[in-house]
């Protein structure tokens, strides 16, 4: 274990084994088998992940719009989102421990089946009417908990189903962007026709599809933690592994400031400007442009494989300040859309470089727990920044809040490039 704590590329000798592609060669060795990305296992995993992402993208829109169209107030919609997001943020660390203990695939299948059940019951609620709000909130808690169980394993599975880990992450990032565009649009259309229940049915079918595809994966063994450890000990070991890699906790520490001061406030602050000045349609188009840029970034990252992936990703993140700066400067919508495409491309490249670095640098027996700490530290700060947006605008004004976001985004990219462990982290050769 001490070797794992000091050497990010070292793999400990396992005492138990978990899922791994049957017959796959070790990282760095040539392979004459299936394609580096589109193997049978990856196609199944890609279908499962895309189905889950589509459902997750539809859920917030369907619930919020369904409640508002059903005569409930904004406070009820806000409480509903809190009951959905809070379990995810609070339980994702335990999801990492359970994925390492019982294998990621088992936990993801359990999560999909829980989501399938919850969405079928949500369909009944929205079709026949919500008699008691606690029923809705309880089902959203189940959905949020299920996603906390699913998320850690989603990262550790990628190296098990594809020899080209970065290329696979590029494909998955592209799928995430496309489902992020199509899911809310589909949910909005169906809710507009009074068919919120059908959104939940579609989501349930998607989660069922995901469970079947994950069950069909043909995987062999990889290292898992020794048996007999307590839950808290497993969490402590995950924290030690996370803390031992300065490039890893360094990125998360930087990202926490970025999430609170730039990323978190931007959506709501931008909406307050764009919707008032240009209308809701323009705001929707600008978010679509962001998604299109993310698709482009994901596609680029499939082929672009720099020797120092985090340094390359940090350079790509230099595009992020373009959009908030454009709002402050009063750019026309078409120019803001171009900025959003550039921002999305930068985010897409960074996301692939980051995910690939984590998945290839961290040993498999602790990867789920380390990924859980990463998610909790980075994504967990976003709601704080979002919540502070309104009071900050009231106290300092819209332009100042956006300019702080511009400055923090620039400093984030520069900090990533300045920190030596992050800048110099090399790429681990994939099994291509």
């Amino acid at each position: 274990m001490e070797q794992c704590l000091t050497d990010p590329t070292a793999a400990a000798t396992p005492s138990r084994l978990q899922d791994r592609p049957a017959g796959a060669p070790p990282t760095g060795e040539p392979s004459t088998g299936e394609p580096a990305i589109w193997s049978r296992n990856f196609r199944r995993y890609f279908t499962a992940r895309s189905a889950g992402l589509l459902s997750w993208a539809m859920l917030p829109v369907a619930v919020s719009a369904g409640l508002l169209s059903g005569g409930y107030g904004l406070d009820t919609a806000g409480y509903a989102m809190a009951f959905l997001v809070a379990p995810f943020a609070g339980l994702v660390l335990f999801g990492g421990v359970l994925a390492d203990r019982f294998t990621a695939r088992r936990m993801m299948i359990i999560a999909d089946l829980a989501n399938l059940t919850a969405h079928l019951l949500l369909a009944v609620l929205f079709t026949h009417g919500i008699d008691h709000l606690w029923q809705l909130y309880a089902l959203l808690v189940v959905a949020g908990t299920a996603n906390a169980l699913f998320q850690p394993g989603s990262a550790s599975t990628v190296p098990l189903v594809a020899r080209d880990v970065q290329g696979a992450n590029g494909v998955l990032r592209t799928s995430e962007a496309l489902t992020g565009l199509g899911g809310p649009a589909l949910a909005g259309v169906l809710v507009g026709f009074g068919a919120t229940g059908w959104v939940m049915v579609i989501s349930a079918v998607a989660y069922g599809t995901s469970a079947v595809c994950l069950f069909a994966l043909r995987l062999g063994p990889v290292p898992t933690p020794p048996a007999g450890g307590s839950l808290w000990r497993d969490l402590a070991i995950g924290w030690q592994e996370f803390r031992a890699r300065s490039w890893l906790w360094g990125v998360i520490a930087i990202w926490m400031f970025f999430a609170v001061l730039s990323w978190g406030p931007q959506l709501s602050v931008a909406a307050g400007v764009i919707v008032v000045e240009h209308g809701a349609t323009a705001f929707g188009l600008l978010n679509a442009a962001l998604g299109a840029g993310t698709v482009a970034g994901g596609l680029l990252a499939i082929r672009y494989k720099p020797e120092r992936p985090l340094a390359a990703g940090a350079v790509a993140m230099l595009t992020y300040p373009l959009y908030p700066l454009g709002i402050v400067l009063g750019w026309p919508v078409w120019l803001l859309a171009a900025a959003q495409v550039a921002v999305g491309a930068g985010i897409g490249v960074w996301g692939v470089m980051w995910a690939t670095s984590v998945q290839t640098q961290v040993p498999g027996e602790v990867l789920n727990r380390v990924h859980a700490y990463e998610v909790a530290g980075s994504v967990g700060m976003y709601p704080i920044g979002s919540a502070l947006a309104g009071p900050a605008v009231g106290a300092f004004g819209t332009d100042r809040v956006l300019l702080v976001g511009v400055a923090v985004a620039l400093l984030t990219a520069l900090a990533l490039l300045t920190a030596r462990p992050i800048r110099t982290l090399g790429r681990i050769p994939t099994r291509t």
Side-chain angles (χ1 to χ4, degrees):
M1 180 60 67
E2 183 176 350
Q3 183 185 20
C4 278
L5 291 175
T6 56
D7 181 4
T9 63
T13 301
S15 60
R16 291 193 294 139
L17 295 176
Q18 179 176 271
D19 294 334
R20 179 188 180 123
T27 299
E29 293 186 11
S31 171
T32 57
E34 289 189 301
I37 299 177
W38 290 104
S39 65
R40 181 179 302 175
N41 271 335
F42 181 75
R43 291 196 300 270
R44 290 168 176 166
Y45 179 69
F46 173 81
T47 302
R49 192 73 183 113
S50 298
L53 287 169
L54 179 66
S55 297
W56 185 247
M58 289 194 297
L59 184 59
V61 173
V63 171
S64 299
L67 287 171
L68 294 173
S69 62
Y72 293 93
L74 286 172
D75 54 343
T76 302
Y79 291 143
M81 291 303 97
F83 278 108
L84 176 65
V85 175
F88 176 84
L91 298 175
V92 68
L93 291 178
F94 295 98
V97 172
L98 294 174
D100 275 333
R101 283 192 166 205
F102 303 111
T103 79
R105 181 172 63 165
R106 289 193 186 104
M107 295 311 302
M108 289 191 292
I109 291 173
I110 291 171
D112 280 337
L113 295 177
N115 257 322
L116 184 155
T117 303
H119 282 74
L120 286 176
L121 293 175
L122 284 169
V124 173
L125 279 186
F126 279 103
T127 300
H128 296 287
I130 303 172
D131 295 327
H132 304 285
L133 283 173
W134 69 262
Q135 297 171 335
L136 171 67
Y137 296 153
L139 291 174
L140 293 176
V141 167
V142 172
T145 302
N147 279 279
L149 296 178
F150 189 103
Q151 180 61 38
S154 67
S156 65
T157 302
V158 177
L160 310 180
V161 296
R163 291 184 290 111
D164 183 355
V165 178
Q166 181 175 318
N169 278 312
V171 171
L172 293 169
R173 186 72 177 183
T174 302
S175 173
E176 181 180 355
L178 290 173
T179 54
L181 283 171
L186 176 60
V189 170
L190 290 174
V191 172
F193 283 103
T196 306
W198 280 106
V199 177
M200 303 305 170
V201 171
I202 293 171
S203 292
V205 171
Y207 282 119
T209 301
S210 176
V212 170
C213 289
L214 291 172
F215 183 79
L217 290 178
R218 294 294 177 261
L219 304 176
V222 291
T224 62
S230 69
L231 178 68
W232 299 108
R233 175 171 172 76
D234 286 346
L235 275 175
I237 291 174
W239 171 251
Q240 289 174 341
E241 295 283 354
F242 175 82
R243 190 182 60 180
R245 293 166 173 81
S246 56
W247 62 269
L248 182 59
W249 63 256
V251 169
I252 298 305
I254 293 169
W255 208 261
M256 289 170 72
F257 286 98
F258 172 67
V260 173
L261 298 174
S262 183
W263 177 35
Q266 181 170 293
L267 180 64
S268 56
V269 176
V273 176
I274 300 299
V275 173
V276 171
E277 294 184 0
H278 303 286
T281 301
F283 184 66
L285 291 174
L286 289 173
N287 283 281
L290 177 68
T294 306
V295 170
L299 293 174
L300 174 62
I302 294 173
R303 293 292 183 182
Y304 175 51
K305 296 179 179 178
E307 289 302 315
R308 296 181 177 181
L310 294 186
V315 171
M317 281 296 294
L318 287 170
T319 62
Y320 192 89
L322 289 175
Y323 179 60
L325 181 61
I327 295 174
V328 173
L329 296 178
W331 288 357
V333 171
W334 69 267
L335 191 53
L336 289 174
Q340 281 285 66
V341 171
V343 171
I347 292 173
V349 170
W350 165 260
V352 173
M353 300 302 168
W354 171 247
T356 303
S357 297
V358 174
Q359 292 162 11
T360 57
Q361 296 278 352
V362 178
E365 64 269 22
V366 293
L367 179 53
N368 293 308
R369 281 170 286 172
V370 169
H371 176 61
Y373 276 107
E374 170 230 324
V375 172
S378 56
V379 178
M381 301 303 291
Y382 176 86
I384 297 176
S386 181
L388 292 175
V393 168
F396 306 109
T398 299
D399 285 355
R400 286 187 179 179
V401 172
L402 288 172
L403 287 174
V404 167
V406 169
V408 170
L410 282 174
L411 290 173
T412 295
L414 293 176
L416 293 171
L417 290 168
T418 302
R420 189 174 183 276
I422 299 171
R423 184 183 72 252
T424 61
L425 186 73
R427 181 171 69 91
I428 298 293
T430 54
R431 304 185 304 269
T432 54

